[in-house]
């Protein structure tokens, strides 16, 4: 396993030392020079920008511009959700009935903390599963529900079909393109901000509610899948217990209030880190081992990554003729007169977009951001107060059934054999945060990072299409000229 480089002060060009330059991917926290095939391709495409155009966005066709606008609208939704994480911020939204579901979820959390259920301060595995499954089921019941609409005659409609018209307008959630700070202002303002164009204001707040519900559902599912991780003991825990002469086993219960804190943090990665950190801290000393620290970060990434992916999948879901249209259709709607060939092309197009988004969501942090390496650096560079930041080396009694050579552990314990252990210092949340904000700022904006990475992927796809089109034109021109020359030679 590669070790993190030793942290050093920024050096002048030409001297040895880590690179502290900030590139497009590590904005707000680059600590080494990264290489990326996508970065290099974008530089290549920018070099091909024609006269009179300033950016790759200007090179896009109208349909490609719609895709980029959709990515921008999605980013605005994610940013606005992160800025409005309090329960009060959502009372001004409607969301086709989604607000009532969201309020019910918050009431469920409040009841668990102060109501009759508060007597159960800890949850065992069965209670833990039932509690989180209830969150998932409430969101699913809303998305799959039906309602009667009286418009001349009674019509039965589903929640998904009613939401379709709002989701199709995500690409229109564009603030003033001539004012880059307008998007920041819109995201920081109230969910009903007038900075969003009036015709799509209702759709904007509806999509905010729907995205928030998907985040709640994703958080609950991630916690359901993480029971073993959250209750497991690490090798360092076993060694520390052995030093104290104690036995240790996986936890059998988890505190309800800590689980609720993670659910409340849905959509805000910075709060999610603190909440999951507290849930992982089973001995309540505020300190975690390096392995536990890495588990916290991986869970936080999954919380928002899952919700965002499900939300986008809902946008691209076919849903029949009444479903969400292709984002390049006029006004984001699907004409009712589309034939089966066009609908087939639309489905293929949506699958391609969803595939590219899934790749961005799954690969960005692992490959482009290099999360494992950054986490090793965060732990190595943090000023840890535990054990004065030093490795504690000691001898402990051999654990029955375990030995260094893979056998004879029980016998070694009987005859008093010792084993040598090294206890690395633990790290606190404050110590982690101090370094993380410097070299791993991406963790505080997980959703925005994924949307930004996907937008770059779209720019690369668009650029390759232009290059292929130019290649075909050049090849046709070349063979045309060669054919004329051959024809001239043949005639003479």
């Amino acid at each position: 396993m590669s070790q993190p480089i030793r942290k050093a002060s920024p050096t002048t060009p030409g001297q040895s030392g880590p690179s502290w330059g900030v590139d497009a991917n590590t904005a707000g926290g680059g600590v080494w020079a990264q290489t990326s095939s996508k970065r290099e391709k974008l530089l290549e495409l920018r070099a091909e920008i024609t006269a009179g155009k300033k950016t790759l966005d200007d090179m896009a066709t109208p349909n490609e511009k719609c895709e980029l606008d959709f990515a921008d609208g999605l980013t605005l939704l994610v940013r606005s959700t992160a800025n409005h994480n309090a329960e009060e911020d959502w009372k001004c939204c409607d969301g086709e009935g989604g607000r009532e579901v969201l309020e019910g979820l918050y009431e469920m959390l409040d009841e668990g903390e102060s109501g009759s259920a508060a007597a159960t301060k800890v949850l065992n595995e069965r209670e833990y599963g039932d509690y989180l499954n209830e969150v998932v089921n409430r969101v699913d019941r809303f998305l799959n529900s039906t309602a009667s609409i009286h418009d001349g005659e009674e019509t039965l409609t589903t929640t998904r079909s009613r939401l379709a018209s709002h989701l199709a307008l995500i690409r229109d959630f564009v603030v003033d393109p001539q004012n880059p700070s307008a998007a920041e202002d819109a995201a920081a303002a109230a969910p009903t901000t007038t900075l969003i164009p009036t015709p799509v204001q209702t759709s904007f707040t509806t999509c905010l509610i729907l995205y928030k519900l998907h985040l709640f559902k994703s958080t609950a599912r991630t916690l359901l899948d993480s029971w073993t991780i959250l209750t497991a003991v690490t090798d360092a825990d076993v060694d520390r217990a052995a030093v104290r002469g104690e036995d240790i086993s996986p936890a059998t219960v988890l505190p309800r209030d800590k689980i609720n804190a993670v659910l409340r943090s849905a959509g805000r990665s910075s709060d999610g880190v603190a909440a999951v950190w507290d849930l992982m801290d089973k001995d309540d000393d505020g300190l975690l081992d390096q392995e536990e620290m890495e588990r916290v970060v991986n869970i936080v990434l999954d919380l928002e990554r899952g919700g965002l992916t499900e939300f986008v999948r809902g946008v691209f879901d076919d849903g029949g003729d009444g479903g969400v249209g292709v984002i390049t259709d006029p006004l984001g709607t699907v004409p009712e007169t589309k034939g089966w060939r066009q609908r087939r092309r639309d489905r293929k197009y949506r699958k391609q977009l969803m595939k590219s988004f899934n790749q961005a969501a799954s690969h960005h942090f692992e490959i482009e951001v290099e999360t494992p390496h950054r986490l090793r650096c965060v732990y190595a560079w943090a000023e840890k107060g535990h054990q004065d930041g030093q490795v504690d080396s000691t001898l402990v009694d051999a654990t029955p059934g375990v030995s260094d050579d893979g056998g004879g552990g029980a016998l070694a314990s009987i005859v008093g054999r010792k084993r040598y252990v090294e206890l690395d210092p633990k790290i606190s949340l404050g110590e982690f945060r101090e370094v993380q904000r410097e070299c791993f700022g991406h963790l505080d904006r997980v959703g925005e990072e994924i949307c930004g990475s996907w937008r770059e992927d779209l720019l690369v796809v668009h650029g390759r299409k232009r290059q292929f089109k130019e290649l075909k034109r050049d090849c046709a021109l070349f063979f045309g000229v060669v054919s004329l020359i051959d024809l001239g030679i043949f005639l003479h």
Side-chain angles (χ1 to χ4, degrees), residues 48-50 53 55-61 64 466 470:
E48 298 175 355
I49 295 177
T50 57
K53 298 182 179 180
T55 65
L56 292 177
D57 288 32
D58 298 332
M59 299 288 290
T61 64
E64 293 171 347
R466 289 194 298 272
E470 292 175 1

Side-chain angles (χ1 to χ4, degrees), residues 395-400 408-420:
L395 292 174
V396 299
D397 292 333
T399 304
L411 178 61
S413 178
I414 293 174
V415 300
R417 181 176 176 179
K418 302 288 186 179
R419 63 186 178 95
Y420 175 77

